[in-house]
Amino acid sequence: MRLLHGKISTRILYLITSLFICSLLSIVFLTRSSNKYDGPPPQFQRPTGTNSLKGIDPLLYDSGPPPGKLWFPGERPLANATLLVLARNSEADAMVQSMLDLERMFNSKFNYPWTFLNNVPFDEEFKRKTRAVTKAKISYG
């Protein structure tokens, strides 16, 4: 310890102040009561005056399965739709990765056609790589 003209050095003063603040914070956090609610979640209700679910977190409310019959792939006609992609020839490898993910998670069940658009004609390498990923019909424009 080094004393300067009868006063405590600034390093020791900072140390004591830091220890005091840490002690106060420890006391506050350890003695604080928990406000956690352990009861059942409230029943799901739509906001009054609207059919909107905006602002409602569906994971907080267990509303059960949706009403009516659940349709599985192949039980109902598909929507008249396509998977529309804007891509460049230079983005072929990234497009293949995205297609693999979408095919694995969704389109392998429904087999929607792919439509690729570009401001220049697609080169044969892009077409070869994208055709190898899916069994669905592909259009290039």
Side-chain angles (χ1 to χ4, degrees):
M1 280 204 276
R2 184 174 147 204
L3 296 176
L4 300 173
H5 302 292
K7 295 183 180 179
I8 300 176
S9 72
T10 53
R11 283 187 181 172
I12 294 180
L13 187 60
Y14 286 143
L15 178 66
I16 292 171
T17 305
S18 299
L19 288 173
F20 179 73
I21 291 172
C22 288
S23 300
L24 283 177
L25 289 174
S26 298
I27 291 170
V28 167
F29 286 118
L30 292 175
T31 59
R32 188 178 71 163
S33 65
S34 173
N35 291 333
K36 183 178 177 186
Y37 176 69
D38 290 331
Q43 289 295 318
F44 176 77
Q45 294 181 1
R46 290 186 188 275
T48 56
T50 179
N51 286 333
S52 171
L53 297 178
K54 186 175 182 181
I56 301 289
D57 185 354
L59 299 177
L60 295 178
Y61 303 96
D62 181 19
S63 59
K69 179 175 175 22
L70 294 177
W71 298 94
F72 295 97
E75 290 185 345
R76 191 175 199 181
L78 293 177
N80 187 13
T82 186
L83 298 169
L84 181 64
V85 180
L86 302 175
R88 294 186 176 100
N89 288 323
S90 60
E91 300 169 336
D93 293 330
M95 190 64 243
V96 166
Q97 272 308 121
S98 297
M99 286 179 72
L100 285 171
D101 290 340
L102 195 57
E103 285 288 328
R104 179 175 42 92
M105 298 300 291
F106 173 76
N107 206 36
S108 61
K109 299 173 191 156
F110 299 102
N111 207 30
Y112 281 106
W114 289 84
T115 303
F116 291 96
L117 298 178
N118 192 352
N119 58 346
V120 297
F122 284 103
D123 59 16
E124 289 304 316
E125 180 185 1
F126 185 93
K127 291 179 181 180
R128 180 183 51 81
K129 286 182 178 181
T130 54
R131 283 185 184 129
V133 176
T134 183
K135 293 181 269 181
K137 180 185 171 199
I138 299 179
S139 303
Y140 299 96

